Amino acid sequence: MPSKVKDQAAKPVVKRKRSENGEPIKKRRKSEAGEEKEDLASQIQNLESQVNESRKHYNNIATLIEYAEKQNEDPKTAIAAAEALCRVFVRLLASGSLVKKKDASEKDATVAKWLRDRLTDYHKALVAMFKSTKLATQALVLAMALLKAEAQYLEGKDEAVFPWPLFNAIISALLTSPVEEVRVEFCDKFIDEYDDIRFYTFEGIKDFLTERESVDEELQSTVFNFLLKMEDIPESSEDLEDFYIEQPVKKKHPLRSLSQHKKRAQEAWLALMHLGLSKEQRKKVLDVMASSIAPWFIKPELLMDFLTDCYNTGGSISLLALSGVFYLIQERNLDYPSFYQKLYSLLDTDILHSKYRSRFFRLLDTFLGSSHLPAVLVASFIKRLARLALNAPPSAIVVIVPWFYNLFKKHPLTTFMMHRVPRTKEEKELIEKEGVIDPFLPDEEDPMETHAIDSSLWEIVQLQSHYHPNVATIAKIISEQFTKQSYNLEDFLDHSYGSLIDAEMSKEVKKAPVIEFMIPKHIFTKADPGTEQTDSPLVSLWDFGSS
């Protein structure tokens, strides 16, 4: 190093303010700072080497810990000291220096206890780095490397013993850290890769939540998002084969049991739900309930109260709870006597404008797909949706009509609604006297009592004159012969105003539309006198004067 500094000093430099000895002031300061950092780095390296050479230098560990605790003042020195400490403790653990031995002398026992205390101090210094944007990811890697070494050597047993104190500190630091990247790193590199880390993470989250009397909204949201990342659900115990710590020898070990894995996940989710969820969090939970949460539960019936409460809430919450309730009905035989009545109540003016419309129709198609359902019940759903379609956006109508077509094919008794004519003399006389009266009761809450089966689908006839040509065309399939077996709803579910406009704009125009040859100067007012222009037809039909 000295020769290198001397060579650099001999090189020509740009003229700038110089000190009395002729050296550039700024360069001298940089050199001093660099030398100081190099001294610290070499000092840390020397301290580590001395510890590895002899037990008499164990006090160097305390010095290294002091450097590691200065993450706010000097992050580079802190992480260098943390890396050195990790290597030191891994070597000491592998050599058995921290093991509590029964036949050890009093001196050796005192040294082992002192080393364990310093190891605890190192734990605290490591997890404190999780709050630093610059150090969090590196600190996580060091902590997990130390975790593995402690599991193998700390207790001095033939079988690995999971080090709970360190892991609980890691989980607590992860959940309270302001650095989102470190949580993503932990999920990607450890939870998604290793079954045992996921197992203990669920347990750590449960302990973290139950030990606290209250959790603020921000921390609750962090825990919630963290749990949502753990969605890779094993299908059987044979899938539990990736372990970060040494694989347990006992075949009946909880880590080898799928039900035990699910039990830990269930307890973690219940601990979070018992704290209470905000409306937005409820929506997120319900959004992934059937796919990512309920499959973790060994007793999904524990979710019944939560899901039924959400289902009875109304609005978008009910729509999202629908898939979870259906999961419990299908998988756990949940008894929900008024299910179809509640489902019918969800068909309101907002349903066809909701962003969850596609999901709702997928579920609705499943719920009404059984041929064992009463035709009276199915007719009520058809009639209610037909009435709502009169004020629905075009993107919703193009889903409703093909869905009607499929229902008519599955439930032939409802086809009487398509073409209803007076059959008796009394009906004809009543129509001549009072006109056609729709027997449908739109305000009736029970779908079995709406008299929809006695009504007709005059709403579809109105849609055949819709302003949008695609809607008018698709509405006419109800008036034609049913030659097609069924329509694939997926072809219609994702339509929007944008997709309908794009479809029209991409069409090839075979015949140019007729347009006005001469652009009129006046539309709502009379033409200027003395000109050859004639008045617009609107002027003669309506009076747009100030009166």
Side-chain angles (χ1 to χ4, degrees):
M1 285 303 296
S3 61
K4 187 175 181 181
V5 174
K6 186 176 180 182
D7 293 341
Q8 288 179 348
K11 293 181 181 179
V13 295
V14 180
K15 290 184 179 181
R16 59 183 69 166
K17 287 186 178 182
R18 297 174 178 270
S19 60
E20 293 179 359
N21 61 8
E23 289 187 4
I25 294 175
K26 192 171 183 181
K27 184 174 181 180
R28 182 165 62 95
R29 287 175 181 171
K30 282 186 177 180
S31 177
E32 289 174 357
E35 288 176 1
E36 186 178 348
K37 288 184 178 179
E38 288 176 3
D39 289 343
L40 280 173
S42 61
Q43 185 179 354
I44 289 171
Q45 189 174 357
N46 291 333
L47 290 171
E48 179 187 355
S49 300
Q50 290 173 1
V51 173
N52 295 333
E53 290 171 3
S54 173
R55 292 176 59 177
K56 67 180 181 180
H57 296 295
Y58 277 180
N59 283 329
N60 291 355
I61 295 174
T63 306
L64 288 171
I65 290 174
E66 289 179 3
Y67 284 134
E69 289 173 343
K70 296 180 179 180
Q71 63 266 18
N72 295 327
E73 302 168 16
D74 190 352
K76 289 186 178 179
T77 301
I79 198 65
E83 290 172 351
L85 282 166
C86 185
R87 291 189 292 268
V88 165
F89 277 114
V90 168
R91 290 192 189 100
L92 291 173
L93 285 164
S95 64
S97 299
L98 281 77
V99 177
K100 298 177 181 178
K101 299 177 181 177
K102 293 181 179 179
D103 56 347
S105 64
E106 184 179 349
K107 181 180 178 181
D108 289 341
T110 303
V111 171
K113 182 179 182 304
W114 185 87
L115 287 174
R116 280 175 172 263
D117 292 341
R118 299 294 73 76
L119 180 61
T120 303
D121 293 339
Y122 179 46
H123 290 173
K124 295 176 182 177
L126 265 184
V127 297
M129 292 181 183
F130 282 44
K131 297 179 180 179
S132 170
T133 307
K134 295 180 180 178
L135 306 180
T137 304
Q138 293 170 280
L140 173 65
V141 174
L142 294 175
M144 293 303 292
L146 187 64
L147 181 84
K148 192 167 189 175
E150 286 190 23
Q152 291 175 332
Y153 306 116
L154 185 59
E155 299 302 326
K157 297 182 179 180
D158 295 335
E159 187 177 358
V161 179
F162 194 79
W164 262 112
L166 175 56
F167 193 72
N168 268 338
I170 292 173
I171 293 299
S172 179
L174 282 171
L175 296 177
T176 55
S177 173
V179 186
E180 178 63 26
E181 289 76 9
V182 72
R183 285 186 285 274
V184 174
E185 180 82 4
F186 184 70
C187 289
D188 293 343
K189 298 292 180 64
F190 298 101
I191 290 179
D192 292 345
E193 295 292 329
Y194 303 106
D195 296 314
D196 55 343
I197 296 298
R198 184 184 60 236
F199 176 94
Y200 291 119
T201 299
F202 277 127
E203 191 161 352
I205 291 174
K206 184 214 45 171
D207 293 342
F208 176 82
L209 294 174
T210 52
E211 288 172 0
R212 282 162 173 74
E213 295 181 359
S214 62
V215 178
D216 60 60
E217 188 174 346
E218 183 179 355
L219 181 56
Q220 188 177 347
S221 179
T222 300
V223 176
F224 173 76
N225 293 327
F226 193 64
L227 280 172
L228 281 182
K229 290 183 175 70
M230 292 183 275
E231 55 184 6
D232 187 13
I233 306 168
E235 295 181 359
S236 65
S237 297
E238 285 72 23
D239 295 334
L240 304 173
E241 54 186 15
D242 299 318
F243 295 91
Y244 184 69
I245 308 299
E246 184 181 331
Q247 189 171 351
V249 178
K250 297 178 181 178
K251 292 184 178 181
K252 293 186 178 180
H253 195 281
L255 283 174
R256 292 178 174 271
S257 170
L258 179 60
S259 62
Q260 290 297 321
H261 279 254
K262 290 189 172 185
K263 181 182 179 182
R264 269 41 175 209
Q266 173 181 289
E267 290 173 347
W269 274 110
L270 289 176
L272 178 64
M273 290 180 181
H274 287 160
L275 297 174
L277 300 175
S278 66
K279 185 176 180 181
E280 290 304 315
Q281 288 173 343
R282 280 195 169 205
K283 285 184 178 181
K284 287 183 180 180
V285 166
L286 294 171
D287 194 29
V288 295
M289 176 63 73
S291 60
S292 303
I293 298 178
W296 276 118
F297 276 59
I298 54 175
K299 293 182 178 179
E301 53 269 22
L302 293 174
L303 292 169
M304 286 182 181
D305 291 340
F306 173 76
L307 286 172
T308 51
D309 287 345
C310 291
Y311 189 47
N312 293 331
T313 300
S316 58
I317 297 288
S318 291
L319 290 180
L320 291 171
L322 196 56
S323 58
V325 171
F326 175 65
Y327 175 86
L328 292 182
I329 292 174
Q330 188 179 43
E331 299 293 330
R332 296 289 170 169
N333 298 320
L334 170 66
D335 185 19
Y336 199 109
S338 56
F339 176 75
Y340 281 98
Q341 184 173 336
K342 181 61 184 177
L343 182 64
Y344 183 71
S345 69
L346 296 180
L347 299 177
D348 56 17
T349 54
D350 297 327
I351 187 66
L352 299 181
H353 298 268
S354 171
K355 66 178 180 179
Y356 305 112
R357 182 182 64 216
S358 298
R359 171 186 294 199
F360 177 74
F361 269 103
R362 287 186 180 97
L363 291 170
L364 194 62
D365 187 48
T366 302
F367 298 146
L368 298 179
S370 173
S371 58
H372 299 291
L373 291 174
V376 174
L377 177 73
V378 177
S380 295
F381 281 87
I382 293 174
K383 182 64 178 180
R384 172 71 75 91
L385 276 172
R387 186 66 60 87
L388 293 174
L390 294 174
N391 296 312
S395 55
I397 301 173
V398 296
V399 179
I400 291 173
V401 177
W403 185 67
F404 283 175
Y405 184 100
N406 292 348
L407 283 182
F408 286 138
K409 296 285 285 188
K410 292 177 183 177
H411 304 276
L413 290 177
T414 59
T415 55
F416 291 106
M417 301 171 67
M418 287 190 292
H419 184 68
R420 186 173 297 283
V421 294
R423 299 181 180 278
T424 63
K425 184 178 180 181
E426 291 77 8
E427 288 180 355
K428 293 179 181 179
E429 290 178 352
L430 184 62
I431 291 175
E432 291 177 357
K433 186 176 180 180
E434 300 182 7
V436 178
I437 299 175
D438 193 339
F440 175 64
L441 304 176
D443 297 327
E444 174 59 49
E445 296 180 356
D446 187 353
M448 297 296 291
E449 303 293 336
T450 61
H451 300 297
I453 195 70
D454 299 322
S455 181
S456 63
L457 293 180
W458 56 266
E459 296 90 350
I460 300 299
V461 177
Q462 298 299 313
L463 293 176
Q464 292 173 357
S465 303
H466 197 274
Y467 72 88
H468 198 292
N470 288 358
V471 173
T473 301
I474 204 167
K476 291 177 182 177
I477 65 173
I478 301 298
S479 301
E480 298 170 355
Q481 289 188 352
F482 279 30
T483 56
K484 192 178 182 69
Q485 182 63 32
S486 65
Y487 283 91
N488 183 8
L489 282 186
E490 293 298 328
D491 296 337
F492 305 93
L493 284 173
D494 295 324
H495 276 302
S496 62
Y497 278 112
S499 64
L500 292 174
I501 291 174
D502 291 341
E504 289 296 318
M505 296 295 289
S506 61
K507 282 183 179 179
E508 183 180 353
V509 180
K510 297 181 180 179
K511 184 178 180 182
V514 178
I515 59 173
E516 182 76 24
F517 179 69
M518 294 180 64
I519 300 175
K521 293 183 178 180
H522 303 275
I523 298 177
F524 299 109
T525 57
K526 293 184 178 182
D528 296 332
T531 61
E532 296 181 357
Q533 291 184 347
T534 58
D535 292 339
S536 168
L538 291 175
V539 176
S540 57
L541 291 173
W542 287 282
D543 183 10
F544 293 96
S546 58
S547 60

